[in-house]
Amino acid sequence: MRKPKINRMVLAMCLGSFLMVIFYFQIISPFNLSACCRKSGRSPLQTLYDTDPLELSPLQVMHQGRRALLEEACRSYTRKRRVLIPEDLKHLIVDDRHGLLYCYVPKVACTNWKRVLMVLTGQAGGQHRDPLQIPANEAHIPGNLRTLSEYSTAEINQRLRTYLKFLFVREPFERLVSAYRNKFTRSYNTAFHKRYGTKIIRRHRPEPRPEALERGDDVSFAEFVYYLVDPSTQREEPFNEHWERVHSLCHPCLIHYDVIGKYETLEEDSSYVLKLAGVDGEVTFPASAKSTRTTGDMAATFFKDISPAYQKKLYSLYRMDFLLFNYSTPAYLKFR
């Protein structure tokens, strides 16, 4: 009669030990887990957070402030938290060699960051150590770089806990004008003209000419704005990634980003990330051509013919990006 009781006790002890092992691996610190999974040296995440607070450089203090401002904005302006799904992770590029997760945002130097990551992950081949040697179109080929959505749930969670997560953001309306200039005023972007230009003209231009409906290559900025704020646009399909809001691409209130780089300090912030990864001696982030950049003054000229009512609608659409990343409302807007 005692054997069943003893068997139950042994079974209970085994089960308890198993649960303790699971509990241990769930609470193990990201730094320790990262260290056990890397061959040698400190991970970028350890390098970032293991610095004595009294020894922080001005650059480290600035990035600490950006993280704090983002966390405070998330607490203030987002009410509901939800569970991440694979669709949310399609913009997070994984570098398993160096423990990096990069959320790419179109029109915020993402081509050059993809080039850099192709070098770091070995996808560029041994002959390419200079990111600029990689053709721009090659950097955007699906499959050249893995995204976090391609991993299993356990692998996703492990990387979110232990890898350095970073993104680069930009003043929302400068990014939007940059997207418009690139996709609707360049003659070579015929795919965008056909895909979006013809739709915008058909919907928002009174009595369009047949050739405009056919080619879609002369969309005005005002027509582009009308298209963005039209409620039926997002009911039909999600925004294209080139003008989708950063908070919808990268989910900064669901994913804790360790470095929030800004386009306005691109070279400095990019060098900081590469230094944290320990590869600053191996690869250099490409300098951009400042003469072609969309600036605040340039954005102001595009907005001068947009009515205050539509300016207000557009600002409401991109408001969260302004708030989360600490960008002021542009002085050139008339609705204020």
Side-chain angles (χ1 to χ4, degrees):
M1 293 296 292
R2 295 183 62 188
K3 283 187 178 180
K5 185 175 181 181
I6 293 173
N7 289 340
R8 285 197 298 271
M9 289 176 63
V10 171
L11 181 63
M13 289 175 65
C14 292
L15 180 60
S17 299
F18 177 68
L19 291 174
M20 285 292 288
V21 170
I22 293 176
F23 179 70
Y24 170 77
F25 281 106
Q26 283 181 333
I27 66 170
I28 188 170
S29 75
F31 302 132
N32 290 338
L33 184 56
S34 179
C36 81
C37 296
R38 294 178 65 82
K39 291 181 180 179
S40 63
R42 297 199 306 171
S43 72
L45 203 61
Q46 288 172 313
T47 303
L48 177 65
Y49 290 111
D50 280 2
T51 306
D52 187 328
L54 298 177
E55 298 177 0
L56 293 176
S57 69
L59 182 64
Q60 290 171 310
V61 171
M62 181 188 71
H63 280 280
Q64 193 177 64
R66 286 181 185 174
R67 288 195 301 273
L69 284 169
L70 175 57
E71 289 170 7
E72 178 58 34
C74 286
R75 284 194 294 269
S76 300
Y77 300 111
T78 58
R79 296 178 182 178
K80 292 182 179 179
R81 292 186 64 85
R82 61 175 179 80
V83 176
L84 287 165
I85 59 174
E87 185 70 24
D88 299 328
L89 308 174
K90 288 186 174 181
H91 272 246
L92 274 92
I93 294 172
V94 181
D95 176 1
D96 282 323
R97 283 188 179 184
H98 303 94
L100 299 173
L101 288 177
Y102 162 61
C103 186
Y104 73 90
V105 178
K107 308 311 301 175
V108 194
C110 78
T111 300
N112 281 343
W113 261 113
K114 286 182 178 181
R115 285 167 161 159
V116 168
L117 287 165
M118 284 181 69
V119 172
L120 292 179
T121 58
Q123 291 301 310
Q127 71 276 19
H128 290 316
R129 297 306 301 172
D130 177 3
L132 287 179
Q133 291 179 342
I134 302 170
N137 65 310
E138 192 174 319
H140 297 292
I141 295 175
N144 274 350
L145 294 163
R146 292 193 72 182
T147 64
L148 195 57
S149 61
E150 300 172 41
Y151 290 77
S152 69
T153 300
E155 291 170 330
I156 288 170
N157 290 332
Q158 186 268 333
R159 283 159 178 76
L160 286 173
R161 286 198 310 272
T162 63
Y163 284 16
L164 182 86
K165 299 168 290 298
F166 70 99
L167 79 164
F168 276 76
V169 299
R170 183 178 187 179
E171 200 278 344
F173 283 172
E174 288 180 27
R175 175 176 171 250
L176 187 66
V177 169
S178 178
Y180 166 76
R181 290 177 65 211
N182 180 256
K183 301 306 176 187
F184 294 104
T185 70
R186 303 287 191 267
S187 59
Y188 56 79
N189 267 322
T190 55
F192 269 82
H193 301 160
K194 288 282 188 180
R195 174 75 177 80
Y196 295 101
T198 54
K199 180 187 292 187
I200 292 171
I201 290 170
R202 184 170 62 252
R203 185 181 295 173
H204 298 290
R205 182 178 298 180
E207 301 180 3
R209 292 177 291 109
E211 56 267 31
L213 287 171
E214 172 66 23
R215 295 200 302 263
D217 60 354
D218 64 343
V219 172
S220 71
F221 184 67
E223 290 168 336
F224 181 49
V225 171
Y226 301 154
Y227 167 76
L228 292 174
V229 302
D230 184 348
S232 65
T233 297
Q234 286 193 77
R235 284 201 299 266
E236 288 178 357
E237 61 181 343
F239 276 171
N240 181 276
E241 62 178 11
H242 290 84
W243 47 84
E244 179 61 280
R245 285 71 52 93
V246 176
H247 74 271
S248 296
L249 293 175
C250 296
H251 309 283
C253 293
L254 298 176
I255 297 170
H256 175 84
Y257 286 95
D258 305 291
V259 176
I260 300 107
K262 292 201 170 186
Y263 193 71
E264 296 78 13
T265 51
L266 176 62
E267 286 79 12
E268 182 181 37
D269 294 342
S270 297
S271 296
Y272 180 54
V273 172
L274 295 176
K275 186 175 182 179
L276 289 171
V279 295
D280 48 321
E282 302 173 27
V283 64
T284 302
F285 189 83
S288 60
K290 290 183 170 60
S291 60
T292 62
R293 283 187 178 183
T294 300
T295 63
D297 290 341
M298 193 180 295
T301 64
F302 280 85
F303 273 86
K304 65 178 174 38
D305 294 327
I306 306 299
S307 72
Y310 275 95
Q311 287 183 2
K312 187 173 184 178
K313 288 180 180 180
L314 193 67
Y315 179 80
S316 296
L317 197 60
Y318 288 87
R319 177 174 174 267
M320 282 301 293
D321 279 0
F322 279 98
L323 295 174
L324 292 178
F325 303 113
N326 198 32
Y327 285 107
S328 302
T329 306
Y332 55 75
L333 295 182
K334 304 169 188 173
F335 69 82
R336 301 189 306 167

